[in-house]
Amino acid sequence: MLWRGSQALRRFSTGPVNLKNKLKLALIGQSLFGQEVYSQLCKEGHRVVGVFTVPDKDGKADPLALAAEKDGTPVFKFPRWRVKGKTIKEVAEAYESVGAELNVLPFCTQFIPMDIIDSPKHGSIIYHPSLLPSHRGASAINWTLIMGDKKAGFSVFWADDGLDTGPILLQRSCDVEPNDTVDALYNRFLFPEGIKAMVEAVQLIADGKAPRIPQPEEGATYEGIQKKENAEISWDQSAEVLHNWIRGHDKVPGAWTEINGQMVTFYGSSLLKNSVPPGVPLEIKGAKKPGLVTKNGLVLFGNDGKALMVRNLQFEDGRMIPASQYFSAGETSVVELTAEEVKVAGTIKVIWAGILSNVPVIEDSTDFFKSGASSMDVVRLVEEIRQKCGGLQLQNEDVYMATKFEDFIQKVVRKLRGEDQEAELVVDYVSKEVNEMTVKMPYQCFINGQFTDADDGKTYETINPTDGSTICKVSYASLVDVDKAVAAAKDAFEKGEWGRMNARERGRLMYRLADLLEENQEELATIEALDSGAVYTLALKTHIGMSVQTFRYFAGWCDKIQGSTIPINQARPNRNLTFTKKEPLGVCAIIIPWNYPLMMLAWKSAACLAAGNTLVLKPAQVTPLTALKFAELSMKAGFPKGVINIIPGSGGLAGQRLSEHPDIRKLGFTGSTAVGKQIMKSCAVSNLKKVSLELGGKSPLIIFNDCELDKAVRMGMGAVFFNKGENCIAAGRLFVEESIHDEFVTRVVEEIKKMKIGDPLDRSTDHGPQNHQAHLEKLLQYCEAGVKEGATLVYGGRQVHRPGFFMEPTVFTDVEDHMYLAKEESFGPIMVISKFQNGDIDGVLQRANNTEYGLASGVFTRDISKAMYVSEKLEAGTVFVNTYNKTDVAAPFGGVKQSGFGKDLGEEALNEYLKTKTVTLEY
């Protein structure tokens, strides 16, 4: 009898463990999964008193046995547990000797007798890779895919004398992706989550909280083990059924058909959503229509006229090739290895030898699988190469496609050299050495995953407001470019991977993009400073910092967008079920302003993408560079091509075309009220597209004499001068109570004199240049108008005498209600102060609300009752009380009256990019 155990010497995992509510366990099973369950149970403080596994194969121990032997845990290797229906005496004695309180069977191919199953105090629990009672039997994962189940999962159940029929302890489920294979489903969910669940189940038993839920008979199925002989493809079926059959057998045993008299096995199936690409016909036995060998793979056709594609083919001799190379198989030349590549090959040979321990010498002709390797060894090989070969990332299928050592090394070398890969994103940069770094800035249109010149080749200059110099020339998008971008976004939504992607995967991409924004925050903040004049420290914290927060916030919403069920009057004698679904709109256009180039992009596009839409974004003509850098990072994050498109250019041309385009279903705009009205008109006339508008403002800030004056001065200045006054919610008019008016003005002027005006990249700078020349000129004219009307210019009002577009922070007092300064937004560093009589709360409210704008407002007072009353009466989308500029990604933001409608940020922003569908069914 082949077994081994040590009662004298036992060594368990080192380090302190919590022995409260811990069990003595017998692990019965095998494989890497069993090894990981063993390791995690030991880490949790449970005592594994014995491991019962399979004998060594070709001199090679199972991974579970290796881990247990390394720890000194008793290991028993029985080829079988019973003979002629009776438990083998020596096996039973060995098992009884360990004194287990619970049997844990993570993955076991042996038949374990019921007297062993029932022997421990707590019985036995088993892991099964299906949602029992569905798919009982050894090929559960295969049948989950073959049957086209939308949900997969696993069960941990109490063993009984039936076949996978015992009571359920716990279950976990996941969505089945359209192109999941057995390996993909196992590696993504069943393996990692299964390990956690086994450990959780053991602890529930230890704590006396483990349920025993009887399996229902309804829905119970049992399917036999899939073998090569019954995996042949039957062609008279729909494309989806064919696809499910192929992926359900990928990688073992492999769905096959006969081509040119030879058995050929198919791997890597996916449903073809786009049009069928051109290719060379390939006759397939039994198929009514020939396949097509294309540059991407072999296209196959179902009896419904729809198509699927397989990526890889395997021949009877074990050789695997990309399906696209069917007619050129065997033509690949042998590459000569460099000295460095020879070292890598040597390292890989050592890894092969460690896995194939039964093979004396690894030769060029050594076949990985014919030497005894299993699918679990593929995972080990890929991971060891990644760890020991400088992070080289192979895929499991690379091993299956090159099973001989010589072929595998050739595969690795081609991978190292970047051959046989999809074309990477090509970016032409304008590079600048600035801010102690090399800043790389894309400058072309970004359409369908590629940076490209404008169709007509036109460009324009984007200017650095700090000194008036040209940063670079940027592509000037034409109408043709707009149409291309919209077409790419539409194709990505309707036919591409994005439209099929599940919500959680969409969120993963957005989290990854947020990480990349954060990793590149210094470069992005530098570009903002160069292109918009933003002070670098502010850009780092707000322009970029809030952009990162916004993408992370909406990434978390992706899988939480829900409809609802609605009770309605029943259509008696029948019954009805009514529910709503929240669905993406389709292609969305986003037009953003120049004051916060990246942050405004993030506020709108994050909600748009989280809802599942695709987008075409036009940045402000004067500040396109961070949007184009964002496009580059979106591709690095893994966003499919066409999902995000960036078209720099003019609002009158590109922006107008977006508002009129019939394929766009939603337009989000931030900018002036005048342009917003034109956009709304164009959207209505074209195709009645959904619109959200964040427009101009003249936000009132009321400062009462019972305020904390130091705070009111400090925050009142921030309300006006934050981001050089180029702030949509800037306090456009301050109402200061008469008794503190003069002191307030004096203290503001004193603080302004302390402000440092200068280079935005200087960390000590408080106030940078205005965004562009035309805006500076407009601000100077605004000040001239104020003086002419009789307002008192207390401070500033002039351009700073230095290169660039710098303006002095400015203060006006004695501003009366009829004046231009009282009615119109400056969008610059100009504080407009009006006095109001002591105690006249309703009077100042009437004056504050006497405007067509309603974006934001504020009040400073120590009287909470007064604050609540004023906040209730102010006609604005946001009211700040004893603070200002305090926005947050979770709080909705938007205006009323002619400041627009619709919300950015918060849950409400998602609704701007979703449509509600009501479904009513009768049963």
Side-chain angles (χ1 to χ4, degrees), residues 19 50 103 156 168 240 262 270 449 493 509 607 655 734 784 907:
L19 295 179
N103 292 333
V156 179
I168 301 297
E240 184 175 2
Q262 183 176 188
S270 60
F493 180 79
L509 290 179
L734 275 67
E784 290 174 4
E907 181 181 1

Side-chain angles (χ1 to χ4, degrees), residues 726-877:
E726 296 167 354
N727 187 18
C728 51
I729 57 172
R733 192 177 181 192
L734 275 67
F735 296 92
V736 182
E737 200 159 6
E738 187 173 20
S739 60
I740 62 169
H741 173 273
D742 293 348
E743 183 181 358
F744 179 87
V745 173
T746 299
R747 292 174 66 169
V748 165
V749 172
E750 288 174 355
E751 293 301 316
I752 288 176
K753 291 177 180 178
K754 299 175 186 177
M755 293 172 64
K756 179 179 177 181
I757 301 173
D759 183 352
L761 292 174
D762 185 335
R763 304 308 193 264
S764 63
T765 294
D766 298 304
H767 188 80
Q770 304 311 133
N771 187 274
H772 52 280
Q773 178 72 48
H775 183 54
L776 173 62
E777 293 172 357
K778 174 189 169 185
L779 293 174
L780 295 173
Q781 292 169 5
Y782 187 91
C783 292
E784 290 174 4
V787 172
K788 286 180 181 178
E789 285 191 312
T792 301
L793 177 60
V794 177
Y795 190 88
R798 299 180 301 247
Q799 182 175 359
V800 178
H801 294 295
R802 59 170 292 163
F805 313 138
F806 292 85
M807 181 177 178
E808 295 175 336
T810 300
V811 178
F812 278 97
T813 61
D814 303 319
V815 178
E816 299 179 13
D817 293 354
H818 68 274
M819 291 181 177
Y820 180 77
L821 268 63
K823 296 181 177 180
E824 295 301 324
E825 179 182 28
S826 72
F827 212 66
I830 302 172
M831 183 177 283
V832 175
I833 302 176
S834 297
K835 191 185 300 183
F836 70 95
Q837 293 181 354
N838 293 334
D840 187 11
I841 298 175
D842 289 325
V844 74
L845 278 170
Q846 183 177 2
R847 295 171 70 190
N849 287 330
N850 186 26
T851 173
E852 278 301 303
Y853 299 110
L855 189 56
S857 59
V859 55
F860 279 84
T861 176
R862 285 191 175 98
D863 186 335
I864 188 64
S865 297
K866 185 190 297 182
M868 293 302 294
Y869 177 77
V870 170
S871 64
E872 180 182 333
K873 297 296 183 180
L874 283 170
E875 297 170 358

Side-chain angles (χ1 to χ4, degrees), residues 11 45 60 75 168 171 186 260 303 373 375 383 398 449 470 481 483 616 622 675 732 880 885:
R11 180 170 57 84
K60 181 182 172 189
V75 176
I168 301 297
Q171 290 183 321
Y186 186 74
N260 293 328
N303 61 10
S375 59
E383 286 301 304
D398 293 328
T470 298
D481 297 309
D483 289 346
V616 180
V622 292
V675 175
F880 298 108
N885 287 324

Side-chain angles (χ1 to χ4, degrees), residues 428 430 441-447 450-462 472-478 481 618-621 624-625 628 646-650 653-654:
D428 285 337
V430 170
M441 297 171 284
Y443 59 88
Q444 299 167 295
C445 300
F446 183 74
I447 300 172
Q450 297 293 326
F451 284 101
T452 180
D453 291 334
D455 182 73
D456 55 12
K458 288 185 178 180
T459 62
Y460 70 96
E461 293 181 346
T462 185
C472 64
K473 290 185 176 182
V474 178
S475 293
Y476 187 88
S478 67
D481 297 309
K618 195 200 83 65
Q621 184 172 347
L625 296 181
L628 294 171
I646 311 289
I647 47 169
S650 75
L653 185 72

Side-chain angles (χ1 to χ4, degrees), residues 34-89:
Q35 175 192 327
E36 289 296 321
V37 171
Y38 164 82
S39 298
Q40 292 302 315
L41 287 170
C42 290
K43 286 181 181 178
E44 290 297 313
H46 296 286
R47 184 180 174 189
V48 179
V49 294
V51 166
F52 299 83
T53 187
V54 294
D56 297 353
K57 182 179 179 182
D58 297 323
K60 181 182 172 189
D62 183 81
L64 173 57
L66 289 172
E69 288 169 347
K70 183 178 179 181
D71 286 347
T73 302
V75 176
F76 305 84
K77 302 179 180 180
F78 300 121
R80 63 186 63 84
W81 288 70
R82 64 179 189 169
V83 173
K84 296 182 179 179
K86 293 185 178 180
T87 304
I88 299 171
K89 181 180 179 182

